[in-house]
């Protein structure tokens, strides 16, 4: 049986939208049934992973969480990484946009 859309009336008959009624409970139930990821130790951190991530991917994840733990979240990392690219782009709006796009791929 297909689930209703978020804005459809809840199938329980409450007359409230599904997202405001039973969706949160259903999401918790689905998460409980999902198979847990396998735990991997890398650079002193433990990650729950699925599949077979490369060491480079684990390095990126570990670096992100190390920076996050010291107070530098994604936005700060993005700005720190992108700023030299934006500076090098000068006044060319296309080059600035390209630098920002490249920074977002961090």
């Amino acid at each position: 049986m297909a689930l209703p859309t978020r804005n459809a009336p809840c199938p329980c008959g409450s007359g409230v939208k599904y997202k405001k009624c039973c969706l949160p409970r259903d999401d918790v139930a689905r998460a409980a049934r999902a198979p847990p990821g396998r735990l991997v130790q890398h650079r002193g951190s433990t990650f729950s992973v699925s599949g077979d991530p490369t060491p480079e991917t684990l390095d990126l994840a570990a670096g992100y969480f190390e920076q996050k733990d010291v107070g530098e979240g994604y936005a700060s990392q993005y700005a720190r990484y992108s700023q030299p690219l934006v500076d090098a782009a000068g006044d060319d709006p296309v080059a600035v946009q390209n630098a920002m796009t490249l920074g977002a791929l961090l």
Side-chain angles (χ1 to χ4, degrees):
M1 180 167 130
L3 292 175
T5 60
R6 292 175 51 81
N7 290 317
C10 190
C12 75
S14 66
V16 178
K17 288 183 179 182
Y18 178 59
K19 68 181 178 183
K20 298 283 186 177
C21 190
C22 292
L23 176 64
R25 183 194 66 213
D26 291 348
D27 284 345
V28 169
R30 273 191 295 281
R33 289 189 308 266
R38 135 181 98 82
L39 296 179
V40 173
Q41 293 281 335
H42 187 77
R43 282 180 36 186
S45 297
T46 303
F47 299 99
S48 176
V49 299
S50 61
D52 191 24
T54 64
E56 293 81 16
T57 301
L58 292 172
D59 282 340
L60 287 172
Y64 168 77
F65 285 109
E66 287 166 3
Q67 292 301 313
K68 185 174 180 278
D69 290 344
V70 296
E72 184 180 36
Y74 177 76
S76 296
Q77 291 179 44
Y78 171 64
R80 181 174 41 82
Y81 179 79
S82 298
Q83 191 59 54
L85 301 172
V86 171
D87 292 343
D91 293 332
D92 180 9
V94 173
V96 169
Q97 181 63 46
N98 289 341
M100 296 299 290
T101 301
L102 181 61
L105 297 175
L106 138 67

